[in-house]
Amino acid sequence: MLVAGDVVTDVVARHRGPLAAGTDTAAAIRLVPGGAGANVACWAAHQGCPEVRLLGRVGADTAAWHERELTASGVRPRLVVDPDAPTGTVVCLVDEAAAAERTFLTDSGASLRLAPGDWSDRLLDGVTRLHLSGYLLFSGVGRAFVAVAVAAARARGVPVSLDPASAGFLAVLGVDRFLALAEGVDVLLPSRDEACLLTGLPDPADAAAKLSRQFALVVAKLGRNGALVARSGAVCARVRARPAAPVDTTGAGDAFTGAFLAALLTGAGAEAAAADGCRAGAVAVTHVGGRPLRCSP
């Protein structure tokens, strides 16, 4: 599998209760590797996907660190070092008093500067699926990159999956524009909010069903409410979430996506793959950061 998307540095700040405006709020703060694309790749490798490659763009400031972290997670990184922009940084504010719900402050940096010139059709050699992080669609060069990558994948018969990535950025981009840019994608993996935003429907089941008229397979991630699988205009499966005591919900959707895609690639059906995704999401929220924990040597 080849994943193309964002590689960022996450600053995770866990606090309890409302932020105190104009003064200090006590928090436990950690610096961890992140990025939706990178997280998905790490979870897919963790779940047994035979080979996971990642194409991303980073700054020279942390390129070596990110390459080491990805390699240690079983991912084969191809990181383009941007000469003009630093690695993207996301400040994740995690409210421990609100079921570890998180709010993001995002400086995309080099991550959204992945451009058509960074693509080579040789990247698809031996690849059986291309997965794209939706964050790429939120910059002009990223949109051009997606068009080139999808066209190359379609020409080779390689299926393409896409995670819309951010309801906030999606609202700015525009629904019609997103759906046009996603032409040629086989599998769409939206969150509840993204699915509802993309359709204008308040019920995620109705939203997933509607989206599945454009995409061959839609898997809507509902967090603690599990997931929905939809095909051909109808929901065909509802998958329950696994119980978990959340510490940090950052990257839970990425964990779902990585595990889901790994299961598909190893022969599972969509419903069984979604169950794997729910299990991975439940594990992801029990520790800080959006990547799977690695065993100490």
Side-chain angles (χ1 to χ4, degrees), residues 33-49:
N39 292 346
V40 167
C42 290
W43 278 101
H46 182 73
Q47 292 295 116
C49 190

Side-chain angles (χ1 to χ4, degrees), residues 180-216:
L181 291 165
E183 187 70 31
V185 168
D186 303 281
V187 180
L188 189 72
L189 293 129
S191 69
R192 175 194 178 106
D193 290 346
E194 292 155 3
C196 292
L197 176 61
L198 286 170
T199 59
L201 298 173
D203 186 313
D206 293 339
K210 182 176 180 178
L211 287 169
S212 71
R213 298 187 187 107
Q214 174 173 344
F215 302 95

Side-chain angles (χ1 to χ4, degrees), residues 133-242:
S133 167
Y135 280 109
L136 294 173
L137 296 175
F138 304 136
S139 71
V141 293
R143 290 189 285 273
F145 171 89
V146 167
V148 169
V150 170
R154 302 302 292 180
R156 290 201 183 193
V158 174
V160 182
S161 53
L162 173 68
D163 188 326
S166 167
F169 286 169
L170 187 56
V172 175
L173 177 67
V175 168
D176 291 341
R177 196 176 185 191
F178 174 88
L179 292 174
L181 291 165
E183 187 70 31
V185 168
D186 303 281
V187 180
L188 189 72
L189 293 129
S191 69
R192 175 194 178 106
D193 290 346
E194 292 155 3
C196 292
L197 176 61
L198 286 170
T199 59
L201 298 173
D203 186 313
D206 293 339
K210 182 176 180 178
L211 287 169
S212 71
R213 298 187 187 107
Q214 174 173 344
F215 302 95
L217 176 65
V218 173
V219 182
K221 299 173 286 188
L222 310 182
R224 69 185 65 183
N225 292 318
L228 298 168
V229 179
R231 294 181 188 272
S232 304
V235 171
C236 55
R238 297 172 183 263
V239 181
R240 291 184 178 181
R242 292 299 181 100

Side-chain angles (χ1 to χ4, degrees), residues 50-221:
E51 182 177 320
V52 183
R53 308 171 192 173
L54 173 72
L55 175 64
R57 197 171 181 97
V58 296
D61 52 336
T62 60
W65 177 58
H66 278 291
E67 184 161 4
R68 286 195 303 271
E69 289 292 322
L70 288 162
T71 301
S73 293
V75 175
R76 292 179 56 188
R78 176 165 177 173
L79 301 183
V80 180
V81 178
D82 194 301
D84 301 314
T87 300
T89 302
V90 176
V91 178
C92 311
L93 304 176
V94 180
D95 188 349
E96 294 181 326
E101 188 54 65
R102 73 279 189 274
T103 301
F104 297 141
L105 302 174
T106 303
D107 179 349
S108 299
S111 67
L112 297 193
R113 291 163 59 91
L114 199 63
D118 300 323
W119 177 261
S120 166
D121 287 356
R122 292 191 302 273
L123 290 166
L124 291 174
D125 291 349
V127 167
T128 54
R129 173 169 295 279
L130 171 65
H131 177 72
L132 300 169
S133 167
Y135 280 109
L136 294 173
L137 296 175
F138 304 136
S139 71
V141 293
R143 290 189 285 273
F145 171 89
V146 167
V148 169
V150 170
R154 302 302 292 180
R156 290 201 183 193
V158 174
V160 182
S161 53
L162 173 68
D163 188 326
S166 167
F169 286 169
L170 187 56
V172 175
L173 177 67
V175 168
D176 291 341
R177 196 176 185 191
F178 174 88
L179 292 174
L181 291 165
E183 187 70 31
V185 168
D186 303 281
V187 180
L188 189 72
L189 293 129
S191 69
R192 175 194 178 106
D193 290 346
E194 292 155 3
C196 292
L197 176 61
L198 286 170
T199 59
L201 298 173
D203 186 313
D206 293 339
K210 182 176 180 178
L211 287 169
S212 71
R213 298 187 187 107
Q214 174 173 344
F215 302 95
L217 176 65
V218 173
V219 182
K221 299 173 286 188

